[in-house]
Amino acid sequence: MQRLIIPLLMEKRRRNPTTKKMENIWVVPSWNHLYTIVRNAPTLGKWGELYKQRVAEAALEWAMDNDWVMIETRKVILRTWIYWNDAREKDCHNTDKAWADAFEGILYRNDSQALIQYQDFQIDRANPRIEIEPIVGGLIVRDTPARKNKPSKNQMAIDF
């Protein structure tokens, strides 16, 4: 099975501190870049929505190419390799919130099923990316029935 390849960087708009003009930049999608606080609650921002949509589209294409069926009751192991855009020190786990959420409804029902395992990181300035090998894991055993969560407006649901 081929690896699922998703973009590492997301586009974001900011004011240039020198020229004071607005510009688009490419950033690693950490929690701070993805969310804004609205009425004391974290809300996925416009740029975070766009990144999440790009990741979901890549995951859906990968799932169709590899005959992956959304996993309902098992764990999903996500063996992960990160290819950074530069040599600055970064934490791999700061990248996973957006893409783990984007996989809901495609690779698994809920990201609580995901076991993210970072295998390695490298630098690839020409092609920064995240490569993921999804593997079906063990059965999820619960002592109480799982709640039926309603899909959020940000969650993609796919019926086959």
Side-chain angles (χ1 to χ4, degrees), residues 51-63:
Y51 176 76
K52 196 170 164 182
Q53 182 179 351
R54 285 178 57 210
V55 170
E57 288 169 0
L60 182 57
E61 185 176 326
W62 177 90

Side-chain angles (χ1 to χ4, degrees), residues 96-115:
D96 57 31
K97 177 64 177 154
W99 53 262
D101 285 348
F103 293 161
E104 288 183 347
I106 301 170
L107 298 186
Y108 40 71
R109 180 184 51 78
N110 187 288
D111 66 350
S112 65
Q113 296 170 253
L115 296 171

Side-chain angles (χ1 to χ4, degrees), residues 55-69:
V55 170
E57 288 169 0
L60 182 57
E61 185 176 326
W62 177 90
M64 290 189 296
D65 289 348
N66 289 278
D67 298 323
W68 182 273
V69 177

Side-chain angles (χ1 to χ4, degrees), residues 72-137:
E72 290 276 347
T73 59
R74 301 183 85 81
K75 300 168 189 161
V76 178
I77 300 159
L78 301 172
R79 298 181 68 216
T80 306
W81 291 260
I82 304 236
Y83 296 86
W84 298 113
N85 58 317
D86 59 35
R88 284 184 275 173
E89 290 185 5
K90 301 177 193 77
D91 296 334
C92 292
H93 67 272
N94 283 346
T95 67
D96 57 31
K97 177 64 177 154
W99 53 262
D101 285 348
F103 293 161
E104 288 183 347
I106 301 170
L107 298 186
Y108 40 71
R109 180 184 51 78
N110 187 288
D111 66 350
S112 65
Q113 296 170 253
L115 296 171
I116 300 169
Q117 298 177 350
Y118 289 97
Q119 305 299 308
D120 197 8
F121 61 87
Q122 301 289 330
I123 297 169
D124 186 346
R125 286 176 167 75
N127 185 20
R129 65 197 179 280
I130 300 171
E131 294 186 5
I132 300 168
E133 283 181 5
I135 301 167
V136 177

Side-chain angles (χ1 to χ4, degrees), residues 148-160:
K148 289 287 184 186
N149 291 340
K150 291 186 246 173
S152 70
K153 68 175 183 144
N154 298 330
Q155 182 175 340
M156 292 186 68
I158 300 164
D159 294 323
F160 291 98

Side-chain angles (χ1 to χ4, degrees), residues 20-48:
K20 306 294 186 214
K21 294 183 179 178
M22 295 302 288
E23 65 184 4
N24 287 2
I25 59 170
W26 292 91
V27 297
V28 174
S30 68
W31 196 94
N32 290 334
H33 289 295
L34 294 167
Y35 293 90
T36 56
I37 303 299
V38 177
R39 294 188 202 100
N40 292 330
T43 304
L44 192 61
K46 178 177 98 172
W47 300 103

